[in-house]
Amino acid sequence: MGKVPGSLRSAVSTALIKRPSSLVPSESPTQRPRFFPKKSPSSQLSGKTSQSKNTNSSETTKSPILFTSPDLSDAKKLFKSIVATARAPLSPRFHNSLLQSYAAISTVDDSISLLRHMIKTEPSFSPDRSTYHILLAQSCKASDSTLASTHQALNLMVTSGFNPDKVTTDIAVRSLCLSGRIDHAVELVKELSLKHSVPDTYTYNFLIKHLCKFRALSAVYNFIDEMRSSFDTKPDLVTYTILIDNVCNSKNLREATRLVDVLAEEGFKPDCFVYNTIMKGYCMLSRGSEALEVYKKMKESGVEPDLVTYNTLIFGLSKSGRVKEARKYLNIMTEMGHFPDAVTYTSLMNGLCREGDALGALALLEEMEARGCSPNSCTYNTLLHGLCKSKLLDKGIELYGVMKEGGMKLDTACYATFVRALCRDGRIAEAYEVFDYAIESKSLTTVAAYSTLESTLKWLNKAREQGKAV
Amino acid sequence: MLPPRMKKAITDNPKKLANLIDLVNLPLPLREFVGQSQISRLGCFMRVWSYIKDNNLQDPNNKNVVNCDEKLRSILLGRRQVELAELPALVKLHFPKESK
């Protein structure tokens, strides 16, 4: 607190100081996730600049929101009183954090005005690149229908002598994508590539990933082609992994195979991630033989399978009803020095339950716990589901007791199966209790939980009328 | 946040969900029971179910059966005993299809 005098504390930041100091650590984590995507590059940058500028660490921790009103004149007054009470000259970093905190609640125009005001009243303050990045991020986060305010921020930056660089592009792209303005992000990347610099691979791949998520595959390919032909920005191995993952998720294996070929043509050697992704694609379609094929190919080309590879393989084999082989790979992976985790065991249990061997799955739970691997809620859900399906309701109720004790959530399918099994067994009251637990533990929405209960009871009553069930 | 199957059910049949969660003007006996003039079918069911729990109306010998008290009887067709399994159907009687 060297540079901030005591008088300032009482005069300005009442909102900040009034609360106990424990507020600061409690507030920074809540603030961080919100700012994370933008902050990481900008903090990188300010890290670079800070070396030469000798900043006071106490100021950087003082970033919690000072400004409480989005009104510009209030902000100016507040700024004036801060400057008036400060003994030593304030560092640019302090100005930036002030601007940042104002930007969080104001409009872009007001932020720019405040910056102008700061420059005018405080001649010693010269804004640096990260100052403009604050404005840029703010303009990108606003839900505008055009890029006008982003251009405004960029123009301001250029006229102040800072040419947008790769970090600028990254900040803009991430902020735009996170506020759902993906078309604007594409537009801006093209524009910035044309005028200033091309995006680096991280920005590029981030954008590709977002495009894959929200746009058609053809749009992604168009973008890649355009970037390649206009700016010579080529997709790298990570890009291909993203693409393969995307087409696998949409179960388009033919396209995935094509992409693997393209990958080889471009001179990339597939790594563990690519293989894992392809394997996952096959596993999702329950094609165990192909998944094994990929595993063999991996071994042949000298890529060492990792934990994910084995988990995927065991999952795939279990899913396609080849539990025995899956078990074999459990042993192999242990020999290779990988520790099977909850995912491995849950996949195997799933396989066993599918075969109707819920008792075998229960035995596996014991084995798993004996080996020091603790089951998660997914494990329990799988088991409960399996037990209900194999008409081992008493064991299921026992397991449900454990889940309830541990406060675990029920998944939709497991809840439905369990409720149905209870009702079929004439334990309506217990089914109601499970219904209450599902809502209380926030496993399902009330609507979903009730719909299942209602339809199950309807079915039960119908069956009773026809004299079928108990 | 909804699971995919649920989402599909909603997009397939939005009316089904609507008739579960839309507020409905209540007939008089029900109005007295819930203490407000409008409620959804889901809300009404939750009210009745929590009323049963709060007043320990489940039969101690057979938890699947509810022994209705005066108040509950007034909205459940005047019956002394109802089964939990019928509860959704009984509540539904107060929410006829062509309401609105």
Side-chain angles (χ1 to χ4, degrees), chain A residues 412-413 416 426-430 432-433 435-436 439 444-448 450-451 453-454 457-458 460-461 464, chain B residues 1-3 5-6 10 17 20-21 41-42 45-46 49 53 58 63-64 83-89 91-92:
Chain A
T412 318
R427 302 181 182 195
I428 317 291
E430 282 167 74
Y432 268 68
E433 200 218 78
F435 165 72
D436 282 340
I439 294 173
L444 280 85
T445 57
T446 316
V447 173
Y450 179 74
S451 304
L453 182 71
E454 188 185 32
L457 290 175
K458 198 169 163 190
L460 179 74
N461 288 332
R464 274 181 182 171
Chain B
M1 275 318 280
L2 285 171
R5 204 183 295 170
M6 189 68 199
I10 292 170
L17 177 74
L20 194 57
I21 59 170
R41 182 152 67 84
L42 179 61
F45 172 82
M46 296 305 282
W49 170 228
K53 280 186 291 184
Q58 277 167 286
K63 289 266 187 194
N64 294 347
E83 282 194 51
L84 274 182
E86 318 170 273
L87 203 56
V91 170
K92 206 174 181 177

Side-chain angles (χ1 to χ4, degrees), chain B residues 9-93:
Chain B
I10 292 170
T11 43
D12 281 358
N13 195 351
K15 266 199 183 148
K16 211 167 187 176
L17 177 74
N19 106 8
L20 194 57
I21 59 170
D22 275 358
L23 292 180
V24 171
N25 289 322
L26 295 178
L28 220 114
L30 212 55
R31 202 173 288 201
E32 274 167 23
F33 182 83
V34 298
Q36 56 196 62
S37 61
Q38 285 189 326
I39 201 164
S40 66
R41 182 152 67 84
L42 179 61
C44 183
F45 172 82
M46 296 305 282
R47 258 330 150 77
V48 174
W49 170 228
S50 57
Y51 181 80
I52 293 170
K53 280 186 291 184
D54 291 344
N55 295 288
N56 281 323
L57 296 179
Q58 277 167 286
D59 193 301
N61 298 320
N62 182 2
K63 289 266 187 194
N64 294 347
V65 176
V66 178
N67 296 319
C68 301
D69 66 357
E70 202 71 32
K71 216 172 154 194
L72 202 56
R73 224 174 291 166
S74 69
I75 60 161
L76 298 180
L77 306 176
R79 287 169 44 179
R80 294 189 165 278
Q81 275 198 332
V82 293
E83 282 194 51
L84 274 182
E86 318 170 273
L87 203 56
L90 288 173
V91 170
K92 206 174 181 177
L93 289 179

Side-chain angles (χ1 to χ4, degrees), chain A residues 133-440:
Chain A
H133 282 167
I134 293 170
L135 294 176
L136 179 67
Q138 189 196 4
S139 71
C140 292
K141 270 192 233 150
S143 48
D144 294 354
S145 55
T146 61
L147 277 169
S149 65
T150 308
H151 282 139
Q152 198 184 353
L154 280 173
N155 286 340
L156 191 67
M157 191 166 169
V158 174
T159 48
S160 312
F162 294 102
N163 261 332
D165 61 1
K166 291 188 194 311
V167 182
T168 315
T169 315
D170 195 74
I171 289 172
V173 166
R174 280 173 203 258
S175 309
L176 283 170
C177 284
L178 287 172
S179 44
R181 299 165 64 188
I182 191 158
D183 292 327
H184 286 163
V186 172
E187 196 185 322
L188 194 69
V189 162
K190 285 180 196 159
E191 193 188 311
L192 285 174
S193 308
L194 198 65
K195 288 189 197 156
H196 304 285
S197 69
V198 293
D200 63 8
T201 58
Y202 300 102
T203 317
Y204 180 74
N205 285 333
F206 178 86
L207 189 55
I208 295 284
K209 204 168 177 178
H210 251 259
L211 277 171
C212 282
K213 228 184 204 168
F214 298 107
R215 293 288 182 271
L217 193 60
S218 55
V220 186
Y221 286 163
N222 278 343
F223 177 71
I224 291 178
D225 287 342
E226 215 173 324
M227 289 304 284
R228 195 206 303 262
S229 59
S230 317
F231 312 111
D232 203 33
T233 308
K234 290 189 190 108
D236 62 1
L237 194 56
V238 179
T239 319
Y240 279 110
T241 314
I242 294 169
L243 287 172
I244 292 172
D245 186 40
N246 178 55
V247 295
C248 283
N249 283 342
S250 52
K251 304 194 173 162
N252 188 351
L253 274 186
R254 183 183 291 174
E255 184 61 21
T257 328
R258 194 192 69 88
L259 279 170
V260 175
D261 291 341
V262 174
L263 191 76
E265 276 168 32
E266 299 262 332
F268 290 112
K269 193 173 172 295
D271 64 357
C272 199
F273 293 103
V274 177
Y275 280 120
N276 287 348
T277 311
I278 301 167
M279 198 189 267
K280 186 181 82 179
Y282 283 122
C283 289
M284 284 203 306
L285 296 174
S286 306
R287 284 162 68 167
S289 330
E290 278 93 343
L292 264 179
E293 208 67 6
V294 176
Y295 175 74
K296 279 180 194 145
K297 208 168 154 195
M298 249 175 120
K299 283 267 179 186
E300 275 167 25
S301 51
V303 178
E304 196 49 44
D306 64 358
L307 179 65
V308 179
T309 316
Y310 284 110
N311 278 351
T312 314
L313 191 60
I314 289 173
F315 168 78
L317 288 172
S318 300
K319 199 169 174 228
S320 44
R322 298 161 72 167
V323 190
K324 270 201 187 124
E325 283 167 83
R327 274 209 96 125
K328 201 178 82 193
Y329 280 98
L330 179 72
N331 295 332
I332 293 179
M333 78 184 274
T334 326
E335 277 167 28
M336 301 296 284
H338 296 289
F339 284 103
D341 60 5
V343 180
T344 325
Y345 284 110
T346 309
S347 308
L348 260 181
M349 283 177 199
N350 189 15
L352 287 166
C353 290
R354 271 163 193 268
E355 284 192 336
D357 186 11
L359 286 177
L362 211 56
L364 197 60
L365 177 70
E366 210 172 309
E367 184 187 323
M368 161 181 187
E369 283 177 329
R371 286 209 206 172
C373 174
S374 49
N376 59 19
S377 77
C378 191
T379 317
Y380 280 107
N381 271 303
T382 307
L383 266 178
L384 183 53
H385 193 106
L387 288 169
C388 292
K389 284 259 177 195
S390 327
K391 307 218 154 65
L392 296 162
L393 190 54
D394 289 323
K395 285 234 183 330
I397 291 173
E398 213 176 295
L399 196 74
Y400 167 70
V402 179
M403 290 180 75
K404 206 173 157 182
E405 223 166 86
M408 281 178 232
K409 290 190 177 188
L410 294 164
D411 73 29
T412 318
C414 176
Y415 165 77
T417 316
F418 193 36
V419 166
R420 208 174 307 138
L422 285 168
C423 287
R424 188 189 288 135
D425 207 38
R427 302 181 182 195
I428 317 291
E430 282 167 74
Y432 268 68
E433 200 218 78
V434 175
F435 165 72
D436 282 340
Y437 177 70
I439 294 173
E440 185 197 325

Side-chain angles (χ1 to χ4, degrees), chain A residues 81-96:
Chain A
S81 65
I82 292 174
V83 173
T85 42
R87 276 178 214 144
L90 298 166
S91 73
R93 196 123 178 222
F94 184 72
H95 284 99
N96 284 351

Side-chain angles (χ1 to χ4, degrees), chain A residues 1-10 13 16-21 24 55-64 66 85-88 90 94:
Chain A
M1 286 300 198
K3 283 184 186 173
V4 184
S7 56
L8 168 72
R9 268 184 263 160
S10 56
S13 41
L16 196 103
I17 305 295
K18 247 188 193 169
R19 292 173 220 162
S21 60
V24 177
T55 47
N56 190 325
S57 63
S58 74
E59 285 167 2
T60 53
T61 55
K62 263 182 77 81
S63 55
L66 272 169
T85 42
R87 276 178 214 144
L90 298 166
F94 184 72

